[in-house]
PDB file of all heavy atoms in Angstrom:
ATOM      1  N   TYR C  14      16.297   1.583   8.064  1.00  0.00           N
ATOM      2  CA  TYR C  14      15.394   0.517   7.620  1.00  0.00           C
ATOM      3  C   TYR C  14      14.842   0.849   6.229  1.00  0.00           C
ATOM      4  O   TYR C  14      14.823  -0.006   5.346  1.00  0.00           O
ATOM      5  CB  TYR C  14      14.250   0.332   8.618  1.00  0.00           C
ATOM      6  CG  TYR C  14      13.375  -0.841   8.279  1.00  0.00           C
ATOM      7  CD1 TYR C  14      13.587  -2.085   8.867  1.00  0.00           C
ATOM      8  CD2 TYR C  14      12.339  -0.727   7.352  1.00  0.00           C
ATOM      9  CE1 TYR C  14      12.793  -3.180   8.547  1.00  0.00           C
ATOM     10  CE2 TYR C  14      11.547  -1.805   7.017  1.00  0.00           C
ATOM     11  CZ  TYR C  14      11.777  -3.033   7.616  1.00  0.00           C
ATOM     12  OH  TYR C  14      10.999  -4.112   7.276  1.00  0.00           O
ATOM     13  N   ALA C  15      14.403   2.086   6.052  1.00  0.00           N
ATOM     14  CA  ALA C  15      13.865   2.496   4.751  1.00  0.00           C
ATOM     15  C   ALA C  15      14.901   2.308   3.651  1.00  0.00           C
ATOM     16  O   ALA C  15      14.580   1.808   2.562  1.00  0.00           O
ATOM     17  CB  ALA C  15      13.406   3.951   4.808  1.00  0.00           C
ATOM     18  N   ARG C  16      16.120   2.700   3.914  1.00  0.00           N
ATOM     19  CA  ARG C  16      17.182   2.560   2.910  1.00  0.00           C
ATOM     20  C   ARG C  16      17.484   1.090   2.611  1.00  0.00           C
ATOM     21  O   ARG C  16      17.736   0.720   1.466  1.00  0.00           O
ATOM     22  CB  ARG C  16      18.445   3.285   3.369  1.00  0.00           C
ATOM     23  CG  ARG C  16      18.282   4.797   3.378  1.00  0.00           C
ATOM     24  CD  ARG C  16      19.607   5.514   3.644  1.00  0.00           C
ATOM     25  NE  ARG C  16      19.424   6.950   3.632  1.00  0.00           N
ATOM     26  CZ  ARG C  16      19.225   7.690   2.551  1.00  0.00           C
ATOM     27  NH1 ARG C  16      19.165   7.125   1.366  1.00  0.00           N
ATOM     28  NH2 ARG C  16      19.073   9.002   2.645  1.00  0.00           N
ATOM     29  N   LYS C  17      17.438   0.247   3.630  1.00  0.00           N
ATOM     30  CA  LYS C  17      17.744  -1.182   3.442  1.00  0.00           C
ATOM     31  C   LYS C  17      16.662  -1.887   2.629  1.00  0.00           C
ATOM     32  O   LYS C  17      16.968  -2.730   1.781  1.00  0.00           O
ATOM     33  CB  LYS C  17      17.897  -1.865   4.801  1.00  0.00           C
ATOM     34  CG  LYS C  17      18.171  -3.352   4.682  1.00  0.00           C
ATOM     35  CD  LYS C  17      18.448  -3.997   6.022  1.00  0.00           C
ATOM     36  CE  LYS C  17      18.766  -5.476   5.823  1.00  0.00           C
ATOM     37  NZ  LYS C  17      19.138  -6.117   7.080  1.00  0.00           N
ATOM     38  N   TRP C  18      15.393  -1.566   2.884  1.00  0.00           N
ATOM     39  CA  TRP C  18      14.303  -2.351   2.316  1.00  0.00           C
ATOM     40  C   TRP C  18      13.500  -1.639   1.231  1.00  0.00           C
ATOM     41  O   TRP C  18      12.543  -2.215   0.707  1.00  0.00           O
ATOM     42  CB  TRP C  18      13.374  -2.817   3.434  1.00  0.00           C
ATOM     43  CG  TRP C  18      14.045  -3.798   4.345  1.00  0.00           C
ATOM     44  CD1 TRP C  18      14.497  -3.572   5.611  1.00  0.00           C
ATOM     45  CD2 TRP C  18      14.369  -5.159   4.052  1.00  0.00           C
ATOM     46  NE1 TRP C  18      15.070  -4.711   6.122  1.00  0.00           N
ATOM     47  CE2 TRP C  18      15.005  -5.701   5.179  1.00  0.00           C
ATOM     48  CE3 TRP C  18      14.179  -5.974   2.930  1.00  0.00           C
ATOM     49  CZ2 TRP C  18      15.448  -7.017   5.225  1.00  0.00           C
ATOM     50  CZ3 TRP C  18      14.621  -7.286   2.982  1.00  0.00           C
ATOM     51  CH2 TRP C  18      15.250  -7.795   4.122  1.00  0.00           C
ATOM     52  N   ALA C  19      13.835  -0.425   0.853  1.00  0.00           N
ATOM     53  CA  ALA C  19      13.046   0.313  -0.145  1.00  0.00           C
ATOM     54  C   ALA C  19      12.947  -0.428  -1.481  1.00  0.00           C
ATOM     55  O   ALA C  19      11.896  -0.413  -2.119  1.00  0.00           O
ATOM     56  CB  ALA C  19      13.631   1.707  -0.357  1.00  0.00           C
ATOM     57  N   LEU C  20      14.011  -1.052  -1.897  1.00  0.00           N
ATOM     58  CA  LEU C  20      14.034  -1.703  -3.209  1.00  0.00           C
ATOM     59  C   LEU C  20      13.940  -3.223  -3.097  1.00  0.00           C
ATOM     60  O   LEU C  20      14.228  -3.941  -4.054  1.00  0.00           O
ATOM     61  CB  LEU C  20      15.303  -1.283  -3.962  1.00  0.00           C
ATOM     62  CG  LEU C  20      15.475   0.235  -4.111  1.00  0.00           C
ATOM     63  CD1 LEU C  20      16.784   0.555  -4.808  1.00  0.00           C
ATOM     64  CD2 LEU C  20      14.289   0.858  -4.843  1.00  0.00           C
ATOM     65  N   ASP C  21      13.547  -3.701  -1.935  1.00  0.00           N
ATOM     66  CA  ASP C  21      13.452  -5.129  -1.667  1.00  0.00           C
ATOM     67  C   ASP C  21      12.282  -5.342  -0.703  1.00  0.00           C
ATOM     68  O   ASP C  21      11.593  -4.395  -0.348  1.00  0.00           O
ATOM     69  CB  ASP C  21      14.771  -5.630  -1.065  1.00  0.00           C
ATOM     70  CG  ASP C  21      14.974  -7.127  -1.231  1.00  0.00           C
ATOM     71  OD1 ASP C  21      14.070  -7.815  -1.758  1.00  0.00           O
ATOM     72  OD2 ASP C  21      16.022  -7.625  -0.806  1.00  0.00           O
ATOM     73  N   ARG C  22      12.071  -6.566  -0.251  1.00  0.00           N
ATOM     74  CA  ARG C  22      11.010  -6.876   0.705  1.00  0.00           C
ATOM     75  C   ARG C  22      11.612  -7.625   1.891  1.00  0.00           C
ATOM     76  O   ARG C  22      12.367  -8.578   1.702  1.00  0.00           O
ATOM     77  CB  ARG C  22       9.919  -7.751   0.079  1.00  0.00           C
ATOM     78  CG  ARG C  22       9.172  -7.092  -1.078  1.00  0.00           C
ATOM     79  CD  ARG C  22       8.380  -5.885  -0.621  1.00  0.00           C
ATOM     80  NE  ARG C  22       7.580  -5.281  -1.653  1.00  0.00           N
ATOM     81  CZ  ARG C  22       7.997  -4.337  -2.483  1.00  0.00           C
ATOM     82  NH1 ARG C  22       9.237  -3.902  -2.435  1.00  0.00           N
ATOM     83  NH2 ARG C  22       7.182  -3.815  -3.375  1.00  0.00           N
ATOM     84  N   ASN C  23      11.258  -7.199   3.087  1.00  0.00           N
ATOM     85  CA  ASN C  23      11.648  -7.914   4.291  1.00  0.00           C
ATOM     86  C   ASN C  23      10.746  -9.150   4.373  1.00  0.00           C
ATOM     87  O   ASN C  23       9.523  -9.012   4.437  1.00  0.00           O
ATOM     88  CB  ASN C  23      11.450  -7.018   5.514  1.00  0.00           C
ATOM     89  CG  ASN C  23      11.864  -7.681   6.806  1.00  0.00           C
ATOM     90  OD1 ASN C  23      11.901  -8.905   6.916  1.00  0.00           O
ATOM     91  ND2 ASN C  23      12.164  -6.877   7.803  1.00  0.00           N
ATOM     92  N   PRO C  24      11.320 -10.355   4.380  1.00  0.00           N
ATOM     93  CA  PRO C  24      10.483 -11.558   4.380  1.00  0.00           C
ATOM     94  C   PRO C  24       9.650 -11.733   5.654  1.00  0.00           C
ATOM     95  O   PRO C  24       8.747 -12.574   5.687  1.00  0.00           O
ATOM     96  CB  PRO C  24      11.495 -12.701   4.214  1.00  0.00           C
ATOM     97  CG  PRO C  24      12.801 -12.121   4.615  1.00  0.00           C
ATOM     98  CD  PRO C  24      12.745 -10.650   4.325  1.00  0.00           C
ATOM     99  N   ALA C  25       9.906 -10.951   6.685  1.00  0.00           N
ATOM    100  CA  ALA C  25       9.114 -11.028   7.919  1.00  0.00           C
ATOM    101  C   ALA C  25       7.724 -10.421   7.742  1.00  0.00           C
ATOM    102  O   ALA C  25       6.855 -10.586   8.607  1.00  0.00           O
ATOM    103  CB  ALA C  25       9.848 -10.321   9.058  1.00  0.00           C
TER     104      ALA C  25
END
Side-chain angles (χ1 to χ4, degrees):
Y14 186 95
R16 291 188 179 286
K17 178 175 182 176
W18 293 106
L20 304 177
D21 202 357
R22 297 295 184 272
N23 181 337

